[in-house]
Amino acid sequence: MVHRDLAGRGVRDQRVLEAMGSVPREAFVPAGQRRSAYADRALPLRFGQTVSQPYVVAVTLEALRLAPGDRALEVGAGSGYAAAVAGRLVAEVFAVERIESLAADARQRLESLGFDNVTVVWADGAQGHPPGAPYDAIFLSAATRSVPAALFKQLAVGGRLVAPVGGAGRDQQLALYEKPASVARSPDDVPRRSGLLPVAFVPLLPGVKATGK
């Protein structure tokens, strides 16, 4: 997967490639999907959610330019896969999931695999996770028509945010936002945006959902 679908398609950051190769994706997908764990496509989870496509995870993390001492936030933890990969690259990751049982399962899975620098939080992802802010990097694993203002407020000066922006279906673009130092003097400035690639993500929904197993 790493050689064919990531490096072979232009991912160059060696730390990202090594992190992708070190995380057992089969541990983050449903049992019935494990034969497809290393296929380069999103795989279904419960409640209409998905485990993101490996190539998109790699492009996202490469665009974030993660450093070992960074603190990162993921919005839309799902099974915890992308947060696990990010955990190989930074000092600390907070991953927010709005569906209670998915959050609980991801937390247990990450703990059992030894990802002790990844914290899964059951909360409204659109509100981020203020106790961990400011974040050097924020990434969304769910699509939004516009990035919630709360997330920009939790982004450190000089920080990077990657989000799938757009409506339903394939009318989405993975976008990189960068918060320059000038924002510290002008807090209402909008971070610079650049497009990365077309994507198709499940939508970012507001609020939390308490769901049993």
Side-chain angles (χ1 to χ4, degrees), residues 58-83:
V59 168
T60 295
L61 298 179
E62 182 173 56
L64 289 170
R65 304 192 304 276
L66 299 171
D70 282 352
R71 178 185 290 123
L73 172 70
E74 180 189 19
V75 174
S79 68
Y81 173 66

PDB file of all heavy atoms in Angstrom, residues 58-83:
ATOM      1  N   ALA A  58      -2.801  10.206   3.959  1.00  0.00           N
ATOM      2  CA  ALA A  58      -1.399  10.559   3.746  1.00  0.00           C
ATOM      3  C   ALA A  58      -1.254  11.975   3.195  1.00  0.00           C
ATOM      4  O   ALA A  58      -0.390  12.741   3.644  1.00  0.00           O
ATOM      5  CB  ALA A  58      -0.738   9.552   2.811  1.00  0.00           C
ATOM      6  N   VAL A  59      -2.091  12.350   2.228  1.00  0.00           N
ATOM      7  CA  VAL A  59      -2.035  13.703   1.663  1.00  0.00           C
ATOM      8  C   VAL A  59      -2.357  14.735   2.741  1.00  0.00           C
ATOM      9  O   VAL A  59      -1.707  15.786   2.838  1.00  0.00           O
ATOM     10  CB  VAL A  59      -3.001  13.827   0.469  1.00  0.00           C
ATOM     11  CG1 VAL A  59      -3.176  15.287   0.052  1.00  0.00           C
ATOM     12  CG2 VAL A  59      -2.504  13.003  -0.708  1.00  0.00           C
ATOM     13  N   THR A  60      -3.353  14.444   3.555  1.00  0.00           N
ATOM     14  CA  THR A  60      -3.729  15.347   4.642  1.00  0.00           C
ATOM     15  C   THR A  60      -2.571  15.577   5.594  1.00  0.00           C
ATOM     16  O   THR A  60      -2.211  16.719   5.914  1.00  0.00           O
ATOM     17  CB  THR A  60      -4.934  14.779   5.411  1.00  0.00           C
ATOM     18  OG1 THR A  60      -6.073  14.744   4.557  1.00  0.00           O
ATOM     19  CG2 THR A  60      -5.251  15.609   6.642  1.00  0.00           C
ATOM     20  N   LEU A  61      -1.959  14.492   6.050  1.00  0.00           N
ATOM     21  CA  LEU A  61      -0.883  14.609   7.036  1.00  0.00           C
ATOM     22  C   LEU A  61       0.362  15.238   6.437  1.00  0.00           C
ATOM     23  O   LEU A  61       1.064  16.002   7.112  1.00  0.00           O
ATOM     24  CB  LEU A  61      -0.583  13.235   7.631  1.00  0.00           C
ATOM     25  CG  LEU A  61      -1.760  12.591   8.387  1.00  0.00           C
ATOM     26  CD1 LEU A  61      -1.366  11.220   8.914  1.00  0.00           C
ATOM     27  CD2 LEU A  61      -2.236  13.491   9.526  1.00  0.00           C
ATOM     28  N   GLU A  62       0.628  14.966   5.180  1.00  0.00           N
ATOM     29  CA  GLU A  62       1.769  15.606   4.529  1.00  0.00           C
ATOM     30  C   GLU A  62       1.545  17.111   4.430  1.00  0.00           C
ATOM     31  O   GLU A  62       2.464  17.910   4.683  1.00  0.00           O
ATOM     32  CB  GLU A  62       1.989  15.005   3.148  1.00  0.00           C
ATOM     33  CG  GLU A  62       3.196  15.577   2.419  1.00  0.00           C
ATOM     34  CD  GLU A  62       3.481  14.848   1.119  1.00  0.00           C
ATOM     35  OE1 GLU A  62       2.566  14.781   0.263  1.00  0.00           O
ATOM     36  OE2 GLU A  62       4.602  14.350   0.949  1.00  0.00           O
ATOM     37  N   ALA A  63       0.335  17.524   4.065  1.00  0.00           N
ATOM     38  CA  ALA A  63       0.032  18.949   3.919  1.00  0.00           C
ATOM     39  C   ALA A  63       0.137  19.695   5.248  1.00  0.00           C
ATOM     40  O   ALA A  63       0.445  20.895   5.270  1.00  0.00           O
ATOM     41  CB  ALA A  63      -1.360  19.122   3.327  1.00  0.00           C
ATOM     42  N   LEU A  64      -0.086  18.996   6.349  1.00  0.00           N
ATOM     43  CA  LEU A  64      -0.039  19.624   7.668  1.00  0.00           C
ATOM     44  C   LEU A  64       1.391  19.908   8.143  1.00  0.00           C
ATOM     45  O   LEU A  64       1.583  20.628   9.122  1.00  0.00           O
ATOM     46  CB  LEU A  64      -0.762  18.751   8.698  1.00  0.00           C
ATOM     47  CG  LEU A  64      -2.288  18.698   8.569  1.00  0.00           C
ATOM     48  CD1 LEU A  64      -2.867  17.627   9.476  1.00  0.00           C
ATOM     49  CD2 LEU A  64      -2.914  20.058   8.869  1.00  0.00           C
ATOM     50  N   ARG A  65       2.376  19.313   7.470  1.00  0.00           N
ATOM     51  CA  ARG A  65       3.789  19.543   7.805  1.00  0.00           C
ATOM     52  C   ARG A  65       4.019  19.337   9.305  1.00  0.00           C
ATOM     53  O   ARG A  65       4.511  20.228  10.017  1.00  0.00           O
ATOM     54  CB  ARG A  65       4.233  20.939   7.365  1.00  0.00           C
ATOM     55  CG  ARG A  65       4.012  21.206   5.886  1.00  0.00           C
ATOM     56  CD  ARG A  65       4.715  22.475   5.425  1.00  0.00           C
ATOM     57  NE  ARG A  65       4.347  23.648   6.180  1.00  0.00           N
ATOM     58  CZ  ARG A  65       3.273  24.402   5.944  1.00  0.00           C
ATOM     59  NH1 ARG A  65       2.417  24.066   4.972  1.00  0.00           N
ATOM     60  NH2 ARG A  65       3.030  25.470   6.675  1.00  0.00           N
ATOM     61  N   LEU A  66       3.704  18.158   9.776  1.00  0.00           N
ATOM     62  CA  LEU A  66       3.746  17.867  11.200  1.00  0.00           C
ATOM     63  C   LEU A  66       5.174  17.704  11.711  1.00  0.00           C
ATOM     64  O   LEU A  66       6.007  17.060  11.076  1.00  0.00           O
ATOM     65  CB  LEU A  66       2.945  16.595  11.483  1.00  0.00           C
ATOM     66  CG  LEU A  66       1.460  16.670  11.102  1.00  0.00           C
ATOM     67  CD1 LEU A  66       0.807  15.303  11.226  1.00  0.00           C
ATOM     68  CD2 LEU A  66       0.729  17.697  11.971  1.00  0.00           C
ATOM     69  N   ALA A  67       5.429  18.268  12.880  1.00  0.00           N
ATOM     70  CA  ALA A  67       6.725  18.152  13.542  1.00  0.00           C
ATOM     71  C   ALA A  67       6.566  17.298  14.798  1.00  0.00           C
ATOM     72  O   ALA A  67       5.467  17.230  15.375  1.00  0.00           O
ATOM     73  CB  ALA A  67       7.260  19.532  13.895  1.00  0.00           C
ATOM     74  N   PRO A  68       7.639  16.654  15.260  1.00  0.00           N
ATOM     75  CA  PRO A  68       7.527  15.755  16.414  1.00  0.00           C
ATOM     76  C   PRO A  68       6.962  16.406  17.669  1.00  0.00           C
ATOM     77  O   PRO A  68       6.324  15.730  18.483  1.00  0.00           O
ATOM     78  CB  PRO A  68       8.974  15.294  16.627  1.00  0.00           C
ATOM     79  CG  PRO A  68       9.595  15.375  15.274  1.00  0.00           C
ATOM     80  CD  PRO A  68       8.969  16.588  14.632  1.00  0.00           C
ATOM     81  N   GLY A  69       7.173  17.700  17.856  1.00  0.00           N
ATOM     82  CA  GLY A  69       6.682  18.351  19.066  1.00  0.00           C
ATOM     83  C   GLY A  69       5.301  18.947  18.952  1.00  0.00           C
ATOM     84  O   GLY A  69       4.802  19.550  19.910  1.00  0.00           O
ATOM     85  N   ASP A  70       4.635  18.766  17.818  1.00  0.00           N
ATOM     86  CA  ASP A  70       3.331  19.395  17.588  1.00  0.00           C
ATOM     87  C   ASP A  70       2.219  18.769  18.420  1.00  0.00           C
ATOM     88  O   ASP A  70       2.289  17.591  18.812  1.00  0.00           O
ATOM     89  CB  ASP A  70       2.942  19.292  16.115  1.00  0.00           C
ATOM     90  CG  ASP A  70       3.668  20.304  15.241  1.00  0.00           C
ATOM     91  OD1 ASP A  70       4.354  21.188  15.790  1.00  0.00           O
ATOM     92  OD2 ASP A  70       3.543  20.204  14.004  1.00  0.00           O
ATOM     93  N   ARG A  71       1.162  19.557  18.624  1.00  0.00           N
ATOM     94  CA  ARG A  71      -0.110  19.060  19.162  1.00  0.00           C
ATOM     95  C   ARG A  71      -1.136  19.157  18.045  1.00  0.00           C
ATOM     96  O   ARG A  71      -1.269  20.200  17.402  1.00  0.00           O
ATOM     97  CB  ARG A  71      -0.549  19.890  20.366  1.00  0.00           C
ATOM     98  CG  ARG A  71      -1.901  19.437  20.939  1.00  0.00           C
ATOM     99  CD  ARG A  71      -2.387  20.346  22.043  1.00  0.00           C
ATOM    100  NE  ARG A  71      -1.578  20.195  23.237  1.00  0.00           N
ATOM    101  CZ  ARG A  71      -0.929  21.191  23.838  1.00  0.00           C
ATOM    102  NH1 ARG A  71      -0.990  22.406  23.356  1.00  0.00           N
ATOM    103  NH2 ARG A  71      -0.232  20.960  24.931  1.00  0.00           N
ATOM    104  N   ALA A  72      -1.872  18.065  17.798  1.00  0.00           N
ATOM    105  CA  ALA A  72      -2.821  18.019  16.685  1.00  0.00           C
ATOM    106  C   ALA A  72      -4.220  17.681  17.180  1.00  0.00           C
ATOM    107  O   ALA A  72      -4.398  17.021  18.207  1.00  0.00           O
ATOM    108  CB  ALA A  72      -2.385  16.991  15.647  1.00  0.00           C
ATOM    109  N   LEU A  73      -5.210  18.130  16.411  1.00  0.00           N
ATOM    110  CA  LEU A  73      -6.615  17.833  16.683  1.00  0.00           C
ATOM    111  C   LEU A  73      -7.237  17.232  15.441  1.00  0.00           C
ATOM    112  O   LEU A  73      -7.097  17.782  14.343  1.00  0.00           O
ATOM    113  CB  LEU A  73      -7.362  19.125  17.052  1.00  0.00           C
ATOM    114  CG  LEU A  73      -8.890  19.014  17.174  1.00  0.00           C
ATOM    115  CD1 LEU A  73      -9.269  18.207  18.413  1.00  0.00           C
ATOM    116  CD2 LEU A  73      -9.528  20.411  17.232  1.00  0.00           C
ATOM    117  N   GLU A  74      -7.934  16.095  15.602  1.00  0.00           N
ATOM    118  CA  GLU A  74      -8.741  15.537  14.518  1.00  0.00           C
ATOM    119  C   GLU A  74     -10.208  15.712  14.859  1.00  0.00           C
ATOM    120  O   GLU A  74     -10.630  15.423  15.988  1.00  0.00           O
ATOM    121  CB  GLU A  74      -8.459  14.054  14.288  1.00  0.00           C
ATOM    122  CG  GLU A  74      -9.313  13.510  13.142  1.00  0.00           C
ATOM    123  CD  GLU A  74      -9.266  12.000  12.973  1.00  0.00           C
ATOM    124  OE1 GLU A  74      -8.875  11.296  13.910  1.00  0.00           O
ATOM    125  OE2 GLU A  74      -9.664  11.540  11.882  1.00  0.00           O
ATOM    126  N   VAL A  75     -10.996  16.121  13.902  1.00  0.00           N
ATOM    127  CA  VAL A  75     -12.446  16.212  14.051  1.00  0.00           C
ATOM    128  C   VAL A  75     -13.065  15.089  13.234  1.00  0.00           C
ATOM    129  O   VAL A  75     -12.932  15.053  12.013  1.00  0.00           O
ATOM    130  CB  VAL A  75     -12.964  17.576  13.570  1.00  0.00           C
ATOM    131  CG1 VAL A  75     -14.491  17.604  13.588  1.00  0.00           C
ATOM    132  CG2 VAL A  75     -12.392  18.695  14.434  1.00  0.00           C
ATOM    133  N   GLY A  76     -13.715  14.134  13.915  1.00  0.00           N
ATOM    134  CA  GLY A  76     -14.302  12.976  13.257  1.00  0.00           C
ATOM    135  C   GLY A  76     -13.411  11.766  13.388  1.00  0.00           C
ATOM    136  O   GLY A  76     -12.871  11.251  12.398  1.00  0.00           O
ATOM    137  N   ALA A  77     -13.243  11.270  14.607  1.00  0.00           N
ATOM    138  CA  ALA A  77     -12.274  10.195  14.870  1.00  0.00           C
ATOM    139  C   ALA A  77     -12.638   8.877  14.217  1.00  0.00           C
ATOM    140  O   ALA A  77     -11.756   8.105  13.838  1.00  0.00           O
ATOM    141  CB  ALA A  77     -12.123   9.997  16.380  1.00  0.00           C
ATOM    142  N   GLY A  78     -13.947   8.575  14.115  1.00  0.00           N
ATOM    143  CA  GLY A  78     -14.344   7.287  13.553  1.00  0.00           C
ATOM    144  C   GLY A  78     -13.754   6.138  14.337  1.00  0.00           C
ATOM    145  O   GLY A  78     -13.927   6.039  15.550  1.00  0.00           O
ATOM    146  N   SER A  79     -12.999   5.270  13.666  1.00  0.00           N
ATOM    147  CA  SER A  79     -12.392   4.124  14.337  1.00  0.00           C
ATOM    148  C   SER A  79     -11.062   4.471  14.987  1.00  0.00           C
ATOM    149  O   SER A  79     -10.478   3.646  15.690  1.00  0.00           O
ATOM    150  CB  SER A  79     -12.170   2.990  13.337  1.00  0.00           C
ATOM    151  OG  SER A  79     -11.164   3.337  12.393  1.00  0.00           O
ATOM    152  N   GLY A  80     -10.539   5.670  14.724  1.00  0.00           N
ATOM    153  CA  GLY A  80      -9.269   6.090  15.306  1.00  0.00           C
ATOM    154  C   GLY A  80      -8.072   5.922  14.401  1.00  0.00           C
ATOM    155  O   GLY A  80      -6.943   6.202  14.807  1.00  0.00           O
ATOM    156  N   TYR A  81      -8.296   5.498  13.144  1.00  0.00           N
ATOM    157  CA  TYR A  81      -7.171   5.185  12.257  1.00  0.00           C
ATOM    158  C   TYR A  81      -6.303   6.409  11.946  1.00  0.00           C
ATOM    159  O   TYR A  81      -5.080   6.389  12.144  1.00  0.00           O
ATOM    160  CB  TYR A  81      -7.682   4.567  10.955  1.00  0.00           C
ATOM    161  CG  TYR A  81      -6.601   4.356   9.913  1.00  0.00           C
ATOM    162  CD1 TYR A  81      -5.576   3.435  10.140  1.00  0.00           C
ATOM    163  CD2 TYR A  81      -6.597   5.073   8.724  1.00  0.00           C
ATOM    164  CE1 TYR A  81      -4.570   3.240   9.195  1.00  0.00           C
ATOM    165  CE2 TYR A  81      -5.598   4.889   7.774  1.00  0.00           C
ATOM    166  CZ  TYR A  81      -4.601   3.969   8.015  1.00  0.00           C
ATOM    167  OH  TYR A  81      -3.602   3.787   7.087  1.00  0.00           O
ATOM    168  N   ALA A  82      -6.898   7.481  11.460  1.00  0.00           N
ATOM    169  CA  ALA A  82      -6.107   8.657  11.097  1.00  0.00           C
ATOM    170  C   ALA A  82      -5.423   9.264  12.315  1.00  0.00           C
ATOM    171  O   ALA A  82      -4.279   9.724  12.237  1.00  0.00           O
ATOM    172  CB  ALA A  82      -6.983   9.695  10.399  1.00  0.00           C
ATOM    173  N   ALA A  83      -6.105   9.248  13.452  1.00  0.00           N
ATOM    174  CA  ALA A  83      -5.499   9.758  14.689  1.00  0.00           C
ATOM    175  C   ALA A  83      -4.294   8.916  15.078  1.00  0.00           C
ATOM    176  O   ALA A  83      -3.289   9.444  15.574  1.00  0.00           O
ATOM    177  CB  ALA A  83      -6.533   9.761  15.814  1.00  0.00           C
TER     178      ALA A  83
END
